[in-house]
Amino acid sequence: MTTNIKYSLLVSFLTAAAHLPMKCLYVISDMAYPFIYYLIRYRRRTVRHNLELVFGTDDPARIVRMEKKFYHHLCDCIAETVKLLHISDEEIDRRVEVTNGEYIDSIIRSGHSVILFLGHYGNWEWVQAIIHHFREPLVGGQIYRPLHDKVMDKVMLKIRSRFGLECIHQDKAVRRLISMERSGRKFVIGFISDQRPSSSVLHHWTDFLGQDTPYVVGGETIGNHVGARFVYLDVEKLSRGHYRLTFLPVVPDPADDGPDPYTREFMKMLEKTIYRDPVYWLWSHKRWKRHR
């Protein structure tokens, strides 16, 4: 079966599911949880290892409670992501509250583009709804790392462009953003910057969640090239299917003369978000697989 046929079948199936109300999708999420957690045991060892690294092993019952809440949230995220294939602007705006959007407008009016730092927290796929909350003309987009599965990669690109955001391949990011800046078009580009760098670029390290952690510098490097401003997107899960997104300036400590000050400050801000409510971060990610 060709990639295009597989893609068409999968999109058709997921779109049909997306027509279901969110209440029905959450019922499916509840049914999927025991299969993913108890039967398939999707990355259970990785999740447990990461939680114990950060929160210790003195209270095993607490770790298990956090672990189970994380998997419930993960199932919800899958259902919510599928819903993006068929959700109205009105519904997504009811479910995603955006505060301080005027801060982005003020940056664009001042003649600068925006590098938006965020992490795998809450439901990062719903973050694209922020594009409704800017008044200034701009290009909205996100940098993405292609999936190994070509069919799923095409599906996720369709989902991630639901509200008109431009998905920019990570290998083309520098050229594309510099081109936009030179043409006079200002942009807000999201960088999910808490992923593990590839093994070939493990050159930048910092303390994150109490762990010696490598980090990626692409957002800051590109932002410096085009004179962009750096902003952090703080995410709160208010209730099931409801999120609050807040734009916050990334302001490094003036006394910090280390490398990549904006990226490391972003990681400090994300760390505070995670400690505030840990179960909504992507603990199944093999974040600390590599060592210095």
Side-chain angles (χ1 to χ4, degrees), residues 166-232:
E166 180 178 347
C167 295
I168 304 171
H169 191 294
Q170 62 179 5
D171 293 341
K172 300 178 181 179
V174 175
R175 181 179 299 178
R176 177 66 180 133
L177 298 189
I178 289 178
S179 173
M180 281 194 283
E181 187 67 26
R182 287 176 176 173
S183 69
R185 292 192 295 165
K186 301 306 173 187
F187 55 76
V188 175
I189 299 294
F191 283 78
I192 298 182
S193 298
D194 61 343
Q195 69 267 45
R196 187 185 74 246
S198 62
S199 56
S200 61
V201 290
L202 294 175
H203 310 310
H204 309 272
W205 296 77
T206 191
D207 181 84
F208 176 64
L209 295 174
Q211 312 304 311
D212 196 26
T213 306
Y215 60 88
V216 294
V217 297
E220 184 164 351
T221 300
I222 296 173
N224 287 333
H225 270 300
V226 299
R229 297 294 181 259
F230 299 98
V231 178
Y232 171 58

Side-chain angles (χ1 to χ4, degrees), residues 222-287:
I222 296 173
N224 287 333
H225 270 300
V226 299
R229 297 294 181 259
F230 299 98
V231 178
Y232 171 58
L233 187 66
D234 181 52
V235 179
E236 298 173 80
K237 187 169 183 177
L238 304 177
S239 60
R240 198 175 199 184
H242 292 271
Y243 299 88
R244 178 187 293 130
L245 312 180
T246 304
F247 299 102
L248 300 172
V250 179
V251 183
D253 184 347
D256 183 355
D257 58 356
D260 318 305
Y262 289 96
T263 304
R264 289 187 295 106
E265 184 63 28
F266 148 71
M267 295 187 72
K268 292 177 185 177
M269 298 172 81
L270 176 61
E271 187 177 67
K272 291 179 181 179
T273 298
I274 294 170
Y275 279 134
R276 184 178 64 210
D277 214 336
V279 299
Y280 302 131
W281 191 52
L282 190 62
W283 293 99
S284 57
H285 184 63
K286 297 181 180 180
R287 193 65 185 85

Side-chain angles (χ1 to χ4, degrees), residues 59-74:
D59 189 351
R62 181 194 180 204
I63 296 296
V64 172
R65 286 195 301 271
M66 293 171 65
E67 182 179 88
K68 289 181 176 180
K69 287 181 179 180
F70 162 73
Y71 277 97
H72 275 293
H73 171 68
L74 181 63

Side-chain angles (χ1 to χ4, degrees), residues 136-187:
E136 294 298 322
L138 50 79
V139 178
Q142 55 189 312
I143 307 302
Y144 79 95
R145 179 184 294 181
L147 301 176
H148 294 298
D149 187 300
K150 292 183 179 180
V151 174
M152 282 305 302
D153 189 54
K154 289 184 67 176
V155 171
M156 292 309 300
L157 282 176
K158 179 178 178 65
I159 289 173
R160 289 168 177 169
S161 58
R162 160 66 182 83
F163 297 104
L165 291 186
E166 180 178 347
C167 295
I168 304 171
H169 191 294
Q170 62 179 5
D171 293 341
K172 300 178 181 179
V174 175
R175 181 179 299 178
R176 177 66 180 133
L177 298 189
I178 289 178
S179 173
M180 281 194 283
E181 187 67 26
R182 287 176 176 173
S183 69
R185 292 192 295 165
K186 301 306 173 187
F187 55 76

Side-chain angles (χ1 to χ4, degrees), residues 43-63:
R43 293 195 175 184
R44 278 268 299 271
R45 185 175 298 178
T46 297
V47 172
R48 179 71 58 87
H49 174 70
N50 286 340
L51 287 171
E52 289 180 344
L53 275 179
V54 175
F55 298 103
T57 57
D58 293 339
D59 189 351
R62 181 194 180 204
I63 296 296

Side-chain angles (χ1 to χ4, degrees), residues 74-134:
L74 181 63
C75 291
D76 280 358
C77 280
I78 295 170
E80 292 166 0
T81 299
V82 170
K83 185 62 179 176
L84 285 172
L85 287 168
H86 185 77
I87 190 171
S88 67
D89 291 357
E90 292 75 18
E91 182 172 2
I92 196 72
D93 285 343
R94 286 197 306 270
R95 292 180 173 277
V96 179
E97 173 188 336
V98 178
T99 61
N100 205 22
E102 62 275 9
Y103 175 56
I104 300 297
D105 287 331
S106 69
I107 294 175
I108 300 300
R109 285 196 298 270
S110 72
H112 297 278
S113 292
V114 174
I115 297 296
L116 187 66
F117 285 130
L118 62 149
H120 287 93
Y121 188 88
N123 189 337
W124 54 95
E125 301 295 353
W126 275 21
V127 164
Q128 57 181 295
I130 62 175
I131 199 68
H132 296 153
H133 299 270
F134 306 139

